[in-house]
Amino acid sequence: MPETLNPFEIAQRQLDEAAELLGLDEATHQLLRWPRREVTITIPVRMDDGDVRILRGYRVQYNDARGPTKGGLRWHPDETLDTVRALAAWMTWKTAVMDLPLGGGKGGVTCNPKELSTAERERLARGYVRALSRLIDEDTDVMAPDVYTDAQVMAWMMDEYSILRGHNTPGIITGKPTALGGSAGRADAAARGGIYVVREAGRALEMDLKGATAAIQGYGHVGRSLHQLAEELLGLKVVALSDSKGGVYRAEGIPYSEGSAWKRKTGSVVEMPFTQPISNAQLLELDVTVLFPAALENVITGSNAGNVRARIVAELANGPTTPEADIILHQNGVYVIPDILCNAGGVTVSYFEQVQNAYNFYWEPEEVYQRLDTRMSVAFQMVHQVARKRNLHNRLAAYLVAVQRVAEACKLRGWV
Ligand code: GLU
């Protein structure tokens, strides 16, 4: 049977494996296999030429047993209800593995944001909030940035919601600009959290990462921050970068200053001077110490996992590795830091942002970094220990920790 690449089927299969190992009762297992609430919306967006385009959007509130659902909003041409369901499930396990008092949710709009002007993007952001306004609030479901949405989009959405409510509501959304109640350190939080856990993995595996090589697949917002922090905090030498147009390789290393300047200037990493072109597929198979998938789902599958030569795979993307690939990587001794742990820095600083909004009192960057480091390191140790003790791959270990916590909350509430 060919392996499924449907992200929601993958998310359900990951849960099934954890449920079996945990000996979850049938009712709890079934409850956790499905979103508690999912909404499909139709958003009319007026284009700059006066035409109205009709876009489809989704919001999935997967599970709120541990707290309000929390998760980003993606704008992508391939977005479907199933991708959003999967991403919402992963958010549920992510907040639980980090022990945040939050549930998991996700939103998406099927569109190509690269074809939209700034004014059209603003109208889409506001239309999305209007369509969902009765289903979200600070204590129910809180959105944040994800693929192709950023702090500006969050600002428009927060403003629209504030207008609907008749007062300022910064806590409705996280990842806002700092001028509007965003947290210091939120912009690069996912990358920073990922770097902290790679550092922890290096210690656990007794590897010296200074001067070791790395490759980054995906050079969007997260990929760029990752490049900078990999260099600054770990002294990694990044030898390859890629984006949706292709990739580049240089054995001596590509400094962040060069990579980011080229991307800013040309909109892509391709054709960067003094580099060799490589494909995204080749980048994943490079002989590097750390491989960072930082783009989209399903890039490491049963067909290419056997060719991955990296010692550590640090998943900054959500869902980059399929269950078939997980088994192969584990057998080959590749140390995978799973998405629900590796990229949890974003939602962790989102949680800090919620706390700061609630208190209307804001922290210095150092305080954010310190608290993030502590949370990431504790969660890493927990997952690493469970994996070691039970001889499991890290994703399954992370699921055991997370699913157990969510199941306990569902039981304590008397749901199952
Ligand atoms: N979109 C990010 C994620 O996938 C952040 C979510 C959030 O901050 O709520 O983790």
Side-chain angles (χ1 to χ4, degrees):
M1 211 170 60
E3 77 177 309
T4 178
L5 295 181
N6 177 316
F8 187 49
E9 284 172 15
I10 290 176
Q12 286 187 316
R13 174 168 160 191
Q14 291 163 337
L15 171 73
D16 294 345
E17 286 173 16
E20 193 178 333
L21 280 178
L22 288 169
L24 270 198
D25 61 277
E26 185 58 16
T28 309
H29 181 190
Q30 285 306 322
L31 180 68
L32 299 183
R33 284 192 103 227
W34 295 95
R36 300 230 47 210
R37 184 195 269 159
E38 51 190 36
V39 194
T40 300
I41 55 178
T42 304
I43 317 159
V45 182
R46 188 160 303 275
M47 298 285 117
D48 292 343
D49 64 7
D51 282 356
V52 175
R53 194 178 295 172
I54 306 300
L55 298 176
R56 299 284 276 174
Y58 310 94
R59 184 74 190 167
V60 174
Q61 298 168 345
Y62 197 89
N63 189 292
D64 60 355
R66 290 174 48 87
T69 49
K70 183 83 193 77
L73 166 64
R74 298 209 307 190
W75 288 352
H76 198 274
D78 299 332
E79 206 66 271
T80 64
L81 180 55
D82 270 351
T83 57
V84 181
R85 283 168 160 173
L87 290 155
W90 292 329
M91 283 309 303
T92 306
W93 316 134
K94 195 184 298 187
T95 54
V97 85
M98 295 306 295
D99 209 7
L100 303 175
L102 298 169
K106 201 77 170 199
V109 176
T110 315
C111 68
N112 185 355
K114 291 180 185 168
E115 287 171 357
L116 301 178
S117 70
T118 302
E120 289 164 348
R121 292 167 71 246
E122 176 174 351
R123 290 193 285 270
L124 169 58
R126 291 183 185 277
Y128 185 83
V129 168
R130 282 197 300 277
L132 286 175
S133 62
R134 266 167 295 179
L135 297 171
I136 54 174
D137 71 46
E138 298 95 310
D139 300 315
T140 310
D141 184 19
V142 177
M143 288 186 260
D146 203 283
V147 173
Y148 293 131
T149 58
D150 56 14
Q152 176 61 74
V153 175
M154 300 305 114
W156 290 323
M157 289 171 56
M158 189 277 273
D159 182 65
E160 188 67 24
Y161 192 79
S162 297
I163 292 168
L164 292 171
R165 278 297 159 97
H167 59 87
N168 196 29
T169 54
I172 186 58
I173 208 150
T174 59
K176 301 178 292 292
T178 47
L180 294 179
S183 176
R186 178 61 185 85
D188 66 8
R192 186 176 293 273
I195 292 295
Y196 290 155
V197 286
V198 169
R199 181 199 65 206
E200 291 304 301
R203 284 183 188 152
L205 303 173
E206 295 178 6
M207 290 166 65
D208 186 7
L209 294 175
K210 201 167 173 6
T213 52
I216 301 177
Q217 191 248 348
Y219 209 57
H221 179 74
V222 172
R224 267 174 284 178
S225 301
L226 202 55
H227 192 179
Q228 180 173 21
L229 296 172
E231 228 171 71
E232 272 177 27
L233 302 183
L234 297 181
L236 282 169
K237 181 168 81 168
V238 177
V239 295
L241 306 170
S242 70
D243 58 28
S244 58
K245 299 204 175 80
V248 288
Y249 174 82
R250 186 195 294 157
E252 305 76 53
I254 304 169
Y256 167 70
S257 52
E258 237 178 278
S260 59
W262 186 253
K263 175 86 181 184
R264 210 176 314 120
K265 189 169 150 199
T266 67
S268 172
V269 296
V270 298
E271 291 170 15
M272 193 183 303
F274 310 110
T275 60
Q276 282 163 246
I278 54 166
S279 66
N280 268 282
Q282 287 169 319
L283 181 142
L284 296 169
E285 298 177 7
L286 284 175
D287 188 7
V288 289
T289 305
V290 191
L291 171 65
F292 292 101
L296 294 169
E297 307 88 73
N298 294 334
V299 294
I300 306 177
T301 67
S303 352
N304 64 352
N307 302 333
V308 170
R309 284 183 286 168
R311 180 72 187 88
I312 297 173
V313 173
E315 297 183 341
L316 267 299
N318 287 312
T321 309
T322 64
E324 275 81 353
D326 267 330
I327 295 166
I328 299 169
L329 294 173
H330 186 55
Q331 278 166 356
N332 290 350
V334 179
Y335 191 88
V336 176
I337 311 177
D339 49 5
I340 59 171
L341 169 65
C342 195
N343 70 35
V347 73
T348 301
V349 178
S350 279
Y351 164 62
F352 298 160
E353 186 170 325
Q354 292 183 293
V355 172
Q356 294 168 80
N357 290 155
Y359 279 82
N360 200 14
F361 178 77
Y362 291 84
W363 307 346
E364 294 300 320
E366 288 64 34
E367 184 168 358
V368 173
Y369 301 158
Q370 190 50 53
R371 288 180 186 273
L372 175 63
D373 196 345
T374 305
R375 290 218 171 231
M376 296 302 305
S377 305
V378 167
F380 173 87
Q381 287 308 333
M382 183 89 186
V383 171
H384 181 73
Q385 299 305 340
V386 172
R388 275 281 152 92
K389 226 180 273 163
R390 302 190 58 162
N391 191 25
L392 304 170
H393 59 73
N394 286 333
R395 186 175 334 273
L396 198 44
Y399 266 69
L400 290 195
V401 174
V403 172
Q404 169 86 44
R405 286 178 177 159
V406 180
E408 186 194 2
C410 293
K411 282 188 194 301
L412 286 169
R413 282 178 183 268
W415 290 351
V416 278

